[in-house]
Amino acid sequence: MTKNYGKARGVTELDLEVRPGEVFGYLGPNGAGKTTTIRMLVDLIRPQQGTVEVLGGSPRDPAIRRRVGYLPGEVEFYSRMSARDFLTYIGNLRGKGGDALSERLSERLDLDLSRRIGDLSKGNRQKLGLVQALMHGPELVVLDEPTSGLDPLVQQEVYRLLDELKDDGVTVFFSSHVLSEVERVADRVGIIREGRLVEVEELEALRHKAVRTFEVVFEEVPHIAEFEQLDGVRMADVHGAVLHCQVIGSIDQLLKAVAKNRVRDLVSHGADLEALFLDYYRGEED
Amino acid sequence: MLSNVALKTLRDRRRSLFWWVVGIFGYLLGIGAFYPIVRDNQGQFEALLETYPDEFLAIMGVGSEENLFDPIGFMQAEAFGWVVPLVFAIYGTVQGARAVAGEEEDGTIDLVMATSLTRLGLVWQKWLALVLAELVLGGAVFAALAVDSVLFGVEIPVGNIAAGVLMAVLLGVFFGSLALAVGTGTGLRGLTVGVVTFVAAGAYLLNSLGGLVEILDALQPISPFYYYDASNPLRYGLDVEHALVLGGLAVVFLGVGLLAVRGRDLGVGGIRLAVPTIRKASG
């Protein structure tokens, strides 16, 4: 689908399928089109080209939206209402309350429902946003930056909640610009940059694509040419008897080449997803 | 009060509506208390009115009233000629603009519309809340006139009070519906209030001065204020046709609002005004 609001906003020819029951992390820098995508999933905005299908139907269908839980990126409430009244109202509009579940969720997140929303801190308002998104037992949960404004302890609790949703077979689509968060909870990630989807991959597969750094200390000075030509090896550099290099993908060839020499020590730094994401963010031109 | 959008909207407005009720009720009571003085000093007031230009009296809503010193003429001149219709029109405009555009600008539309509420449901329930709030204001006017009658002898037949109040409510609903339509079409509350206020002010002047300026005379029927009081409901009772014109147009505006919301993106500030780029002239 395509959606443009004018200069440098929106999404272009976005083609993405999220599988039932998976936790899908939607990653991208600010302004990449994450919120635009998400607001189309709940029919707040509509694509200029293409279609959105949610739970086998259109998000224009109220019966479909009832089965979805949604947390906006910048969640706004009626500041004069109490948190509990707000949840009652939203439950009534859905025609599907969730008093017991909302109380339980609020307790877990340590949210006081009797307080006026205007008096809640940003973090507590975010918690309220999460509770309203989850309280009716949705089949699909769409969360725009769910942990924004939450302190680390509550963030961990939210990750646990997402794990539980996954165990219950709920599909989760969430956006983030925080890599560690996506690594922690997602099965699959999509990376969006300047309105275009640049990668959709299993997190595991993505790790394979990530860069590993090796430092090998040999007994004798090796020939750098042995390593430079190997598939996936880059930035090979020999200082005395020490080889530094980076490997993308399989490390098989490098290890075999290393093994032809007498090795004193080998240090490998784990797959650096962050470097990979930064590459995506920056785009091909850099 | 939390079971649907209409009741929830009324609940949100209860404090402000209370003060609007207090304001109009107090004004009408104050005016009523003034009536015995006017009645007992009719000659002096007549002499005073002689000194005012017709245009001034027209704008103050007393131009066409034949008798300013009986209870009906007095109330028409002091309240139903200008304060009452303006209060109902302003209240309607503000509420109509807030209805959908306000929720969009506040960002609350996201959570509300992500439920199974339909867009049509949102708009018509907001409209219903507007009508109910205007009826509450109307009830306050009715009650104030009843008190005026008992305390200060401002005696007006109940049916005529009801007719006058109904026309004020319809006028308020008319402007409220217009604001609802513009606000729903654009998503911009400030713009909506501005546009509708401009239309209302123009329509008020057109109707007030229509009787004095020949060119405007023929144009009077395009002003909603004309339908509000040309038939002088306080004196002669309800003019069903005029009531239907105001009520009918309000329903038409509701229809426009319902159509406007169907294909729009919500919460993104509606229409975009193209701002012309000013370039410095070369050389």
Side-chain angles (χ1 to χ4, degrees):
Chain A
M1 59 204 177
T2 293
K3 177 77 194 175
N4 285 307
Y5 305 109
K7 276 185 188 168
R9 283 186 70 198
V11 297
T12 309
E13 291 169 11
L14 179 75
D15 186 4
L16 174 63
E17 189 174 341
V18 176
R19 299 167 191 149
E22 78 174 336
V23 176
F24 191 94
Y26 198 43
L27 257 174
N30 293 328
K34 300 191 296 286
T35 296
T36 300
T37 308
I38 283 180
R39 294 186 86 236
M40 281 193 278
L41 296 179
V42 281
D43 192 42
L44 289 164
I45 57 175
R46 293 171 177 173
Q48 279 138 347
Q49 282 161 24
T51 50
V52 183
E53 192 181 301
V54 172
L55 297 172
S58 164
R60 294 190 189 197
D61 180 356
I64 293 287
R65 289 202 304 275
R66 181 178 295 138
R67 294 157 57 198
V68 177
Y70 164 59
L71 172 72
E74 283 177 24
V75 61
E76 297 291 345
F77 302 97
Y78 305 99
S79 54
R80 287 183 175 180
M81 281 181 118
S82 76
R84 184 172 281 109
D85 280 352
F86 177 78
L87 294 179
T88 305
Y89 179 52
I90 289 294
N92 287 339
L93 293 185
R94 281 198 188 110
K96 196 173 175 185
D99 288 351
L101 190 50
S102 67
E103 295 286 341
R104 225 168 42 236
L105 285 166
S106 307
E107 233 164 81
R108 256 185 91 167
L109 295 173
D110 194 22
L111 170 66
D112 181 358
L113 289 180
S114 65
R115 290 184 65 185
R116 201 171 150 272
I117 297 174
D119 297 334
L120 294 177
S121 67
K122 186 177 183 322
N124 279 324
R125 286 204 295 272
Q126 185 75 2
K127 292 178 193 171
L128 180 59
L130 280 162
V131 172
Q132 68 78 33
L134 304 177
M135 68 179 187
H136 57 301
E139 294 162 53
L140 166 68
V141 178
V142 180
L143 309 170
D144 196 350
E145 308 263 355
T147 56
S148 120
L150 297 178
D151 64 55
L153 280 178
V154 183
Q155 281 184 15
Q156 295 303 321
E157 190 60 40
V158 172
Y159 299 151
R160 278 193 287 276
L161 266 173
L162 294 182
D163 288 342
E164 287 166 33
L165 287 173
K166 187 181 148 104
D167 293 343
D168 293 342
V170 176
T171 308
V172 179
F173 182 88
F174 77 101
S175 77
S176 178
H177 62 272
V178 185
L179 178 67
S180 58
E181 173 168 302
V182 176
E183 270 194 279
R184 163 72 179 76
V185 288
D187 302 318
R188 227 158 43 111
V189 297
I191 298 167
I192 184 170
R193 191 176 63 82
E194 289 171 13
R196 287 180 186 275
L197 200 60
V198 290
E199 184 71 77
V200 179
E201 196 74 83
E202 305 278 341
L203 204 64
E204 271 313 303
L206 212 51
R207 280 207 182 92
H208 285 299
K209 284 191 176 179
V211 178
R212 278 167 196 271
T213 311
F214 283 88
E215 187 182 307
V216 189
V217 182
F218 296 99
E219 293 290 352
E220 299 97 20
V221 177
H223 292 291
I224 187 162
E226 284 180 66
F227 308 106
E228 270 178 339
Q229 329 255 290
L230 299 173
D231 279 350
V233 172
R234 63 181 202 183
M235 293 171 78
D237 184 23
V238 175
H239 275 289
V242 183
L243 166 73
H244 287 275
C245 68
Q246 294 186 336
V247 182
I248 299 170
S250 169
I251 57 170
D252 180 65
Q253 285 202 20
L254 175 72
L255 289 188
K256 283 178 178 153
V258 165
K260 289 177 189 160
N261 301 273
R262 287 174 56 216
V263 179
R264 188 188 296 169
D265 195 9
L266 185 148
V267 181
S268 160
H269 296 289
D272 188 358
L273 274 183
E274 188 125 10
L276 181 71
F277 283 109
L278 286 174
D279 281 351
Y280 281 123
Y281 281 14
R282 276 197 287 267
E284 295 81 18
E285 67 272 14
D286 290 352
Chain B
M1 291 299 271
L2 294 170
S3 58
N4 59 50
V5 173
L7 289 176
K8 153 74 170 55
T9 303
L10 275 183
R11 180 187 188 272
D12 288 348
R13 306 279 181 269
R14 66 190 188 277
R15 285 191 192 87
S16 72
L17 182 58
F18 172 79
W19 290 113
W20 281 84
V21 162
V22 167
I24 191 72
F25 189 87
Y27 175 80
L28 290 171
L29 230 56
I31 285 295
F34 192 56
Y35 176 66
I37 303 169
V38 173
R39 183 190 53 207
D40 299 341
N41 300 281
Q42 188 169 341
Q44 281 164 289
F45 279 103
E46 268 172 337
L48 184 64
L49 282 176
E50 286 292 316
T51 65
Y52 289 137
D54 287 347
E55 290 80 0
F56 178 77
L57 294 178
I59 286 185
M60 300 310 284
V62 297
S64 58
E65 193 55 50
E66 54 261 44
N67 181 353
L68 290 172
F69 299 97
D70 69 352
I72 289 176
F74 174 78
M75 265 305 160
Q76 179 64 31
E78 296 301 330
F80 280 77
W82 60 297
V83 172
V84 168
L86 290 183
V87 162
F88 279 73
I90 292 168
Y91 184 79
T93 302
V94 173
Q95 298 311 320
R98 286 182 77 173
V100 175
E103 295 239 16
E104 285 189 64
E105 289 191 351
D106 293 345
T108 49
I109 195 107
D110 267 50
L111 290 183
V112 168
M113 291 317 296
T115 66
S116 41
L117 178 67
T118 62
R119 292 182 174 203
L120 300 188
L122 172 78
V123 174
W124 93 259
Q125 289 195 56
K126 286 285 183 180
W127 186 80
L128 185 64
L130 167 79
V131 173
L132 292 172
E134 290 278 358
L135 280 170
V136 170
L137 264 189
V141 172
F142 192 91
L145 290 194
V147 174
D148 280 345
S149 165
V150 173
L151 293 184
F152 311 118
V154 191
E155 284 170 10
I156 302 172
V158 171
N160 292 22
I161 295 178
V165 167
L166 177 65
M167 293 311 287
V169 167
L170 286 174
L171 186 76
V173 171
F174 172 92
F175 282 110
S177 306
L178 178 61
L180 181 91
V182 177
T184 305
T186 62
L188 301 169
R189 171 168 40 185
L191 174 95
T192 302
V193 171
V195 166
V196 178
T197 303
F198 180 77
V199 169
Y204 182 77
L205 280 180
L206 179 66
N207 183 54
S208 303
L209 299 176
L212 299 170
V213 185
E214 213 168 313
I215 307 168
L216 297 182
D217 203 26
L219 293 176
Q220 251 184 337
I222 66 169
S223 170
F225 288 95
Y226 170 82
Y227 297 95
Y228 162 72
D229 71 356
S231 60
N232 200 342
L234 216 50
R235 192 172 293 281
Y236 302 114
L238 187 67
D239 181 322
V240 176
E241 275 179 29
H242 284 188
L244 284 177
V245 169
L246 284 183
L249 283 172
V251 171
V252 169
F253 292 144
L254 168 64
V256 171
L258 291 172
L259 284 177
V261 78
R262 284 179 58 185
R264 256 196 61 222
D265 289 339
L266 298 177
V268 294
I271 54 169
R272 259 148 225 293
L273 300 173
V275 181
T277 319
I278 300 167
R279 289 204 179 92
K280 280 184 186 165
S282 55

